[in-house]
């Protein structure tokens, strides 16, 4: 196997340097490696110095974002970070491609995150094939593409919004960058810039699976072409189990309190625990945390709540009840896969949403910003795998609303049944011969043909 990989095609994978974008691309890299493609993952110098990495089948190499000592946090503005990353990243990525070629590990294809579209320019400048890898849902990508093309007029006006390939949506069910027009202008420019050179990409991959977003995927294939669903990109042990050593993503920024969580969950009854986490970036207000704490401590159910160290000062410790366990971080997949967990209160980031769907855990959606409100719309109204906790006129989700949503999910057989259904479909998609597996195999076959042609 190693000899075949040594003489086979070589993919250089370049993610945007945040965990939520790296992990799905890293899982895709593992799938390629399992199919005997050599893979190198390019991460920024800062990330390589500050994270723990454990994925033996994938090689790591550095590039620079221009902030090697502090990463994004050391940039004064998002615009400064994007500009510096583009300037320094172009140079160091080009050097890496030449270095790999000179050492006998010639790169055949670059798989890149469209959040950094200049990677495609570098790849094409080096005469390489290139694949864009979208880490958000196809629905969200479609909405952003409509805005980029000027077909979705901003700011929004009127009632429901009609977007091809999607159900009619209320304005507040759109991504927050669309709904609250003018918020975070720097990141929004970056999001629209994903599409500026997409026509030059040889493949377009999306972290979803056909059965989950069939209509919008079909629309994109008709309009853009070259589109393939390759998800859900979560460790194989939780899906098809073909990669026996693939039990975690392999990139760790926060230290999970795994032993404490598992010991506590092992003492709970099946489907009795409410798991609460808002990911690695979302920041709840002090008032929202208090409402959530009051809801959890009065609903009469055990709960496991992840509150990052940066958020600990907001937590009302006096409300902590014996029914709950509060930790600074956990292995989310390990928790969601535990039989004690019956409900997931989440911000509905795409990775968390895919994990819950793939593990059959019903959702209480509390979206905060960016793509999360759109993901929540699909969870509730399209996939039927959860409910949304609605905020009041001040944007605060009150404790009574949270309690009602938790009870309806924990006691709702219909939602639980739908969650189980999506678990089975997600696993089938990546199993041998499944829809996503076929798309990955098609890409691998194309790489082998490309390599054979190049060698001639």
């Amino acid at each position: 196997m190693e000899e075949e990989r040594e003489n086979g095609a070589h993919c250089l994978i370049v993610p945007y340097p945040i965990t939520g974008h790296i992990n799905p691309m890293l899982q895709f890299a593992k799938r390629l490696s399992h199919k005997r493609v050599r893979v190198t993952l390019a991460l920024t110098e800062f990330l390589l110095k500050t994270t723990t990495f454990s994925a033996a089948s994938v090689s790591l190499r550095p590039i620079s974002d221009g902030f090697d000592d502090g990463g994004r946090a050391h940039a004064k503005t998002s615009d400064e970070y994007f500009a510096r990353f583009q300037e320094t990243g172009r140079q160091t990525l080009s050097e890496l491609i030449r270095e790999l070629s000179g050492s006998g590990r010639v790169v055949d294809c670059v798989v890149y995150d469209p959040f950094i579209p200049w990677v495609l320019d570098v790849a094409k400048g080096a005469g390489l094939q290139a694949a864009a890898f979208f880490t958000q849902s196809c629905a969200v990508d479609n909405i952003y593409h409509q805005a980029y093309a000027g077909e979705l007029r901003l700011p929004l006006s009127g009632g429901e919004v009609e977007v091809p390939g999607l159900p009619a949506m209320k304005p507040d069910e759109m991504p927050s960058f669309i709904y609250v027009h003018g918020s975070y202008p720097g990141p929004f420019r970056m999001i629209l810039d994903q599409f500026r050179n997409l026509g030059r990409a040889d493949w377009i991959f999306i972290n979803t699976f056909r059965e989950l977003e069939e209509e919008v995927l079909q629309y994109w294939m008709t309009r853009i072409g070259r589109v393939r669903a390759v998800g859900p990109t979560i460790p194989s042990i939780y899906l098809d189990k073909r990669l026996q050593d693939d039990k975690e993503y392999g990139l760790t920024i926060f230290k999970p309190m795994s032993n404490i969580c598992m010991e506590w969950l092992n003492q709970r009854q099946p489907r009795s625990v409410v798991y609460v986490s808002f990911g690695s970036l979302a920041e709840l207000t002090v008032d929202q945390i208090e409402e959530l704490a009051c809801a959890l401590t009065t609903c009469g159910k055990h709960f496991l709540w992840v509150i990052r160290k940066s958020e600990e000062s907001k937590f009302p410790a006096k409300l902590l009840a014996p029914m709950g366990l509060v930790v600074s971080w956990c292995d989310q997949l390990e928790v969601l896969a535990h039989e004690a967990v019956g409900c997931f209160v989440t911000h509905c980031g795409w990775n968390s949403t895919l994990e819950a769907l793939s593990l059959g855990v019903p959702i209480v959606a509390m979206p905060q910003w960016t793509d999360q409100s759109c993901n929540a719309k699909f969870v509730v109204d399209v996939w039927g795998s959860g409910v949304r906790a609605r905020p009041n006129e001040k944007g605060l989700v009150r404790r009574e609303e949270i309690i009602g949503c938790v009870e309806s999910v924990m006691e709702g057989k219909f939602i639980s049944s739908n969650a189980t259904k999506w678990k089975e479909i997600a696993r089938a998609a990546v199993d041998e011969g499944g829809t996503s597996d076929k798309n990955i195999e098609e890409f691998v076959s194309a790489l082998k043909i490309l390599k054979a042609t190049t060698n001639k």
Side-chain angles (χ1 to χ4, degrees), residues 19-29 133 135 207 233 249 351:
T19 309
H21 286 237
I22 296 169
N23 280 340
M25 296 186 76
L26 176 54
Q27 287 305 128
F28 180 66
F133 190 108
T135 58
N207 182 23
T233 54
Y249 285 110
N351 289 331

Side-chain angles (χ1 to χ4, degrees), residues 18-72:
I18 57 175
T19 309
H21 286 237
I22 296 169
N23 280 340
M25 296 186 76
L26 176 54
Q27 287 305 128
F28 180 66
K30 293 176 187 176
R31 291 281 175 180
L32 294 181
S33 180
H34 178 68
K35 294 179 181 291
R36 296 171 173 78
V37 173
R38 166 175 281 201
V39 181
T40 299
L41 185 71
L43 296 179
T44 62
E45 292 272 9
F46 174 70
L47 273 176
L48 288 176
K49 290 189 292 188
T50 56
T51 59
T52 301
F53 183 83
S54 57
S57 63
V58 178
S59 299
L60 281 183
R61 297 303 294 269
I63 60 173
S64 176
D65 60 1
F67 296 92
D68 294 347
D69 295 326
R72 169 66 181 83

Side-chain angles (χ1 to χ4, degrees), residues 357-399:
L357 288 167
S358 300
L359 292 170
V361 181
I363 287 172
V364 172
M366 287 182 58
Q368 302 300 303
W369 71 316
T370 184
D371 64 327
Q372 297 157 17
S373 51
C374 184
N375 298 337
K377 160 71 175 179
F378 276 72
V379 163
V380 177
D381 294 335
V382 179
W383 305 321
S385 58
V387 299
R388 180 170 178 176
R390 296 282 177 180
N392 62 15
E393 65 281 358
K394 296 182 180 179
L396 187 68
V397 182
R398 297 301 302 270
R399 63 195 70 176

